[in-house]
Amino acid sequence: MKQKLTLTVERAAVQAARRAARRQGTSISALFEKSFVTSAKHKPAFAERWLNKHPPTQLPVASDFPHDHRFAHLLAKYVKPAPHARAD
């Protein structure tokens, strides 16, 4: 879905964009859309940046605490392993 965007650009830049659009056989709008899409493609998403900075921690498992059967029981009952982060 497209939405309307209004930009204020110097006259010389608009004229240069018109010439470039004619050379490429496209519209000025298409040139701007291409420039914004290519710059946004290379920026990683927030979740990816967060996971790179803060990898998931390993949760303790019940076998790590064989001496305390109460803790081992509660840990096995209530704590589930975190799902692995998606790589795509």
Side-chain angles (χ1 to χ4, degrees):
M1 167 177 35
K2 290 187 177 184
Q3 294 182 359
K4 188 173 187 174
L5 173 68
T6 304
L7 298 173
T8 303
V9 183
E10 293 182 11
R11 185 178 308 259
V14 172
Q15 292 170 350
R18 281 190 183 134
R19 287 191 298 270
R22 282 191 204 116
R23 280 193 308 268
Q24 296 178 15
T26 185
S27 67
I28 294 176
S29 299
L31 287 178
F32 279 109
E33 288 175 10
K34 287 179 189 174
S35 68
F36 287 125
V37 168
T38 55
S39 65
K41 274 186 186 176
H42 301 294
K43 184 178 178 184
F46 171 79
E48 185 179 346
R49 292 191 318 265
W50 179 268
L51 287 174
N52 286 339
K53 288 181 184 177
H54 311 285
T57 58
Q58 294 295 326
L59 294 175
V61 293
S63 62
D64 293 342
F65 302 96
H67 59 282
D68 189 354
H69 64 32
R70 298 169 300 164
F71 181 72
H73 174 75
L74 292 173
L75 192 63
K77 183 175 179 180
Y78 292 111
V79 179
K80 305 296 181 213
H84 295 289
R86 292 176 53 176
D88 57 324

